[in-house]
């Protein structure tokens, strides 16, 4: 029995040191998560398999039961990880975000939900995908990413404030210029901000478009400014990552011995 | 009294060396600025709290009064900063952009404004956010950013001229090709430029679209050229920032002693 | 005869070491591929040369015959490349993707195809362009590219999962908020995903646009998040390429001798 | 007289070594070029100063006369630049692109042009702006840029072929899927390519949009692939520029002396 527990631990806990980056059992779990998310998405569309709604519901229930068994297994083997040993370890294990997510996902098994609430609880399943980040190698990559961005916090913040200032300035300008011509679109600053964001991000739906020459000149500069801010943002991230990689390399090599 | 002045100086002046990057009092000021901007934005929308316009106006007035007190405080403690000591220092303090902004923001307290003018003066408040750039660490980051871009001035300028040339060339081409088919959209070069900018920045509202095969071929190349110019722009910024970071690192380390 | 075979081999096989990167004969082949693709594209448009459909068909047939002769030539000289010598080498040559493509391209010469199938077989021709990647220098560049991306696999994967999560979260949000107001557009999660992808990639056709204030706030953040994810993606690629270039330079120089 | 010629040479020829990067006289010329381009653009719009067309024409003529005098001056002082001394030097000076542009710009002074031809000749003026690239510092920056891109020719070319292949594949797919449903938009591959380019570059006018589920799935992947290709492109340019800057720095420092 202890042997089974040991082997299950190796399969379920990414920190247990399975030779593969993702163990075979966790691959099955990942596939089940993807399937569960797909069913949750597709079952909101009425024209999808209209004659087989019952089958969909049963498959969905089956996957949830599998998740329940899996979660029970995770609780059973949690104690083998030194960080989760003992009563306080079990509590830590229970309260960490990924275990809480696992439990929230199971709610529809116990409570009969309908409509929007059912959809919401079903969509929480997608968060289970982020458990991949518990793999040590992935956790290291994300930590490196975060530390790289942290050291350029001021530059990123300044770019953000600049972008926000430009967004607001263009919104106010268009509100003053075209507010009376197109009251539905530019009749107030919040309405203008919708146009401003859609233009700044270069989405450009076309539902809000300036029609006066002056408004168009400002819109043109606004779109170009949007590209420049995004370019600054991208440039900062690229240089932050390049720098952090070089830092890491330097530490790996160590200082040259005399 | 001198002690209160000293402590207020530490709270208000970012250069006074408060242990936190932004002092508690300045955080309150920042929050008030954000609130004041939000009120200014939302009160242009008539469907927002239609029955509580008076309340909004009173809150707005309250924040302005707080700003007035704060500005008085800043004047009171300005002399403790060596750069603003004495009469000439006070003048320098009064005429620097951030103090002028603080004073312009207060205009609606003294003059009854209406409509567009009121909106304009209210929007100036957002400029107070840029006072964050007076924090020494932020000022250093911005200086590094500017010096990095300065050393690549010619590349950036050349990219800009190239972009402008492409914009104009496509505008003239579409004016010649579709000027007679769609006179409202391509009937003159300035009108074509509107289409050209909207396409080049990949906003693509859809209010101006070529309909002839030749016009579409040119539009396609124009959009791709736009992406290439933006890519060049982003690449120049990224490499400039990477370079400036390495420069700084080199200076930090100093030349290896023999 | 052996001499002719030798010279043809030098012209046809990019690995034979022709002094030019692309040999004159292979340039002719490339031009023929481009011409064949253009004919395949243009002949689907009925308004293109409506009175000369026969001529187009005959030119198309001529190019295919040229491809058949060329393929026969490639088979004839294949044995001169050590990797393709002997019976097993010939089999390897026959089964490699580029030779299979060459054979699939010739199918319409032997079987009378019509409509969609003819179009599909004609479009396969474009894959012949990728044979350029068999040039040793190009193959090396692509290998370097792939190894650079491979070493940043986790960062790229994390960015992808983040993007997918954002796409889904916004889709569910808009489905819940505007599903009843605009059932054709947001009436189910799969329908919302169409809007979500079009906004996230900043394409913004304008066929699916939120109309409620809350929906627009989410759409705005969604578009900005899309830009941020693309910026992260671009930054990772840029830093990966910079790093791999420096790695290569280091290996080229070798460690400094004492 | 020789002294005047000397001083004019210093003002007109960017290679003459004027202490300012752009000499005062050349600044006047640049301003005149910008003014001439603006007049050329604005005079195509009939609603612009409809009662002062004559004045516009006279100002235009005046600027052209100034350009004629300036060109005469450039010919007069050309011989002082060693590269343009003697008869063969004068011929070289006459045939270089910037001098030819200067002469083409003057054509409307001598020949009465109308409509499209007049517009075309007027737009050539914008090319005079690129004479800025004759400034030694600018020429060096552009050379560095070109050499950086040249060393990554294969990567850029591969990205281009990949993009072209994706464009064509999506076009064919949509032609086969929605060709019968929306014959005006996807009824032939060339028509589909218009949609494909507009989506790939994320312009997204909205005049061509897939309506079937399968078509939308392909369109979504196509838009994401477009972003990925642009990200690769940007990343290659950024790393090429970073690399070339480091190369230059290495050469500036030189190898460490033993």
């Amino acid at each position: 029995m202890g042997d089974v527990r040991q082997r299950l631990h190796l399969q379920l806990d990414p920190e247990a040191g399975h030779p593969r980056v993702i163990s075979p059992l966790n691959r099955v779990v990942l596939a089940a998560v993807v399937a569960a998310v797909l069913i949750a998405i597709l079952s909101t569309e009425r024209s999808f398999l209209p004659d087989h709604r019952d089958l969909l519901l049963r498959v969905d229930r089956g996957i949830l039961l599998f998740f329940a068994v899996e979660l029970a297994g995770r609780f059973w083997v949690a104690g083998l990880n030194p960080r989760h040993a003992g009563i306080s370890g079990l509590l830590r294990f229970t309260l960490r975000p990924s275990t809480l997510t696992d439990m929230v996902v199971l709610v529809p098994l116990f409570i009969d939900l309908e409509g929007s609430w059912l959809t919401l609880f079903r969509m929480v399943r997608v968060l289970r995908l982020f458990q991949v980040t518990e793999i040590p190698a992935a956790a290291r990559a994300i930590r490196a990413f975060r530390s790289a961005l942290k050291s350029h916090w001021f530059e990123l913040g300044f770019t953000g404030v600049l972008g926000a200032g430009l967004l607001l300035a263009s919104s106010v300008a268009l509100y003053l210029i075209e507010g009376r011509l197109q009251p539905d679109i530019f009749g107030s600053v919040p309405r203008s901000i919708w146009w401003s964001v859609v233009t700044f991000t270069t989405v450009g739906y076309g539902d809000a478009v300036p029609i006066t020459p002056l408004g168009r000149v400002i819109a043109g500069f606004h779109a170009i400014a949007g590209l420049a801010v995004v370019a600054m943002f991208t440039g900062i991230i690229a240089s932050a990552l390049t720098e952090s990689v070089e830092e890491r390399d330097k530490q790996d090599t160590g200082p040259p011995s005399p």
Side-chain angles (χ1 to χ4, degrees), chain A residues 127-142:
Chain A
L127 291 177
R128 293 209 60 190
L129 282 180
F130 284 97
Q131 299 187 353
V132 172
T133 59
E134 275 164 30
I135 302 165
R140 229 176 301 134
I142 292 165

Side-chain angles (χ1 to χ4, degrees), chain A residues 164-180 182-198 208 222:
Chain A
L166 283 166
L167 270 179
L168 192 57
S170 294
S171 305
V172 173
L174 265 288
Y175 160 66
L176 296 176
I177 295 168
E178 305 212 349
R180 284 190 196 170
Q182 306 193 76
D184 280 351
I185 298 171
F186 298 110
S188 74
V189 175
R191 282 160 202 247
S192 282
I193 287 177
W194 171 241
W195 161 81
S196 194
V197 170
V198 167
H222 185 53

Side-chain angles (χ1 to χ4, degrees), chain A residues 238-249:
Chain A
S239 87
L241 291 177
T242 304
E243 189 188 0
S244 86
V245 160
E246 279 169 9
E247 208 99 313
R248 207 179 54 198
D249 286 4

Side-chain angles (χ1 to χ4, degrees), chain A residues 60-118:
Chain A
D60 192 65
R61 205 155 191 84
I63 293 177
L64 276 197
L65 284 172
F66 171 71
F67 284 169
V69 173
E70 180 217 340
L71 184 59
R74 286 192 192 273
F75 267 103
W76 184 39
V77 303
L80 292 180
N81 185 331
R83 280 169 50 202
H84 301 139
I87 296 291
S88 67
L90 191 67
L91 201 74
R92 253 203 312 278
F93 177 78
T94 310
L95 293 179
R96 62 181 200 165
S98 64
T99 313
L100 290 175
T101 309
D102 287 1
M103 293 190 291
V104 169
V105 162
L106 297 179
V107 165
L109 267 186
F110 304 106
I111 306 173
D112 252 345
L113 294 165
E114 273 195 5
S116 300
W117 284 107
L118 182 58

